[in-house]
Each structure stands twice: as structure tokens, then as C-alpha cells.
Amino acid sequence: MSAPQIADFWFDPVCPYTWLTSRWIREVERVRDVTVRWRVMSLSVLNEGLDVDPEDPEGEWGDYMRGPGRVCAAVDARHGSDALGAYLDALGVRLHERGEWDGIEPALADAGLPVELASAAWTEEYDAAVRASHQQGLALVGPEVGTPVLSVRGTGALFGPVVSPAPKGEAAGRLWDGVVLMAGTPDFYELKRPYGELDFG
């Protein structure tokens, strides 16, 4: 019996398209022999030094966008990857499907984690951990991409896939098979088409 494939999945929890991709990779776990390791990255770190918000480049809004990632790093540091995946499952439902942007603490409770971890959102305690994890992901695919980053152990890494809605069942498995094929092709670089509307299914 062959060992499961190992996939490292870097995500920023505030990105709705990344949330949809995470729903796809959860479905892949169900239909393929794949084990996912959840890893944090940050669009705030990616956009540092870029003129992406001249009204408030690193003010209150910047901290607000960093908060969920900081809590994710705290969960990972204290409870590990599986707990981080469970927290993303709970947090994404609240943030993206219900629009509850005050849902950090309730999502911790939903995932069976200590709600005290929510305090990490408003401190810099885990910023170095977020930055280090972020850089590990970008080192595999280059700085010109965003979130998510998917690395398949022994095969390669890619930005994406970006999906909306998230494929289900064997359709999710077929997409996985194609992603693994592309990631394992050293001379393959890019496929792209315009984004569609967000569809949380």
C-alpha cells in the first residue's frame, strides 16, 4: 500500500478565493489519499512597500487584516497543523460565508481551541512566525504570486489553484490529479484566465 501524498497548503485566512481553494483541498482529502499540512501566509506581508492602499497603508485596517493570520500562527505554534486546519474550517465559515468579521474568538470555540488565542490578533508576538512561514511558501513559487500556495511533496509547488465554486467529489479529485501533474512538470510555468464571481456554493 502506497503512502499518502503530502501537500503543504499556504493560506491567508482573509482571502475569499483562498477559502474556496481550501474547501477544494478538504474535498481532495476525502477522495484521494492526501494528507494536508496547513501553513500560514500573509497578503499584508506580500504587499509591504507596495502602494496598494494609499489611504491607510499600515494603519488600523492593516492591523485588522493581519489579525486573523496572527491567530492562525498562534494556533499552529501551540496546537499544530491539524488544529490550524480545523481553525481555518471554522474561521472561514464565519468570515466568508456569514460575513462575521468579529468571528475570530467564536471560531476558536467552534474548533475546540482556547479562545484566549484571539489576543494574538492585536499584538506582534507571532508576526515573525507569520513572516517566516510566508517566506517559505514564496521561496517555492516566487514573489509575483499571492495566496494560496500549494506544494506537493516530491513533486513541486504552484500558486493556486483558484476555484469558484470549489469542485466536489471526483471533480475535485480530477483537478488534484491535474495540479499534481502540472506541479511535477519542471518546464510548466503558468495557465490563467479571468476570475469569475465568488461562489461559496
Side-chain angles (χ1 to χ4, degrees):
M1 184 174 181
S2 61
Q5 290 179 296
I6 305 296
D8 289 282
F9 184 83
W10 277 266
F11 66 91
D12 184 326
V14 304
C15 175
Y17 283 103
T18 298
W19 166 246
L20 286 169
T21 303
S22 77
R23 299 310 84 201
W24 164 72
I25 199 71
R26 278 299 198 199
E27 188 73 0
V28 169
E29 287 182 304
R30 193 179 69 79
V31 300
R32 294 289 187 270
D33 192 10
V34 174
T35 298
V36 177
R37 298 195 321 175
W38 303 90
R39 311 286 295 274
V40 182
M41 67 183 301
S42 171
L43 291 172
S44 294
V45 172
L46 186 71
N47 292 328
E48 283 177 345
L50 301 178
D51 189 19
V52 294
D53 187 358
E55 296 295 322
D56 187 24
E58 277 299 319
E60 183 179 355
W61 180 245
D63 282 342
Y64 189 73
M65 297 301 284
R66 287 176 187 265
R70 288 167 167 167
V71 176
C72 285
V75 169
D76 188 37
R78 298 189 193 183
H79 299 278
S81 173
D82 288 346
L84 177 57
Y87 181 55
L88 175 62
D89 293 341
L91 183 65
V93 168
R94 289 185 175 273
L95 293 186
H96 301 298
E97 298 187 14
R98 300 182 189 168
E100 298 175 8
W101 285 87
D102 58 351
I104 290 176
E105 189 170 305
L108 287 165
D110 293 345
L113 292 162
V115 296
E116 296 79 18
L117 290 169
S119 64
W122 311 112
T123 75
E124 298 180 359
E125 180 180 358
Y126 289 94
D127 282 7
V130 171
R131 188 177 300 276
S133 180
H134 176 90
Q135 295 301 339
Q136 288 172 351
L138 284 193
L140 300 174
V141 293
E144 295 83 16
V145 302
T147 174
V149 169
L150 179 65
S151 174
V152 183
R153 186 74 55 81
T155 300
L158 297 168
F159 161 66
V162 178
V163 293
S164 181
K168 299 281 196 273
E170 186 55 23
R174 288 195 302 271
L175 178 58
W176 168 259
D177 298 339
V179 167
V180 171
L181 177 62
M182 289 185 290
T185 303
D187 296 327
F188 168 76
Y189 298 104
E190 183 176 30
L191 284 173
K192 193 165 185 176
R193 59 184 168 191
Y195 280 31
E197 294 295 321
L198 282 166
D199 184 347
F200 296 120

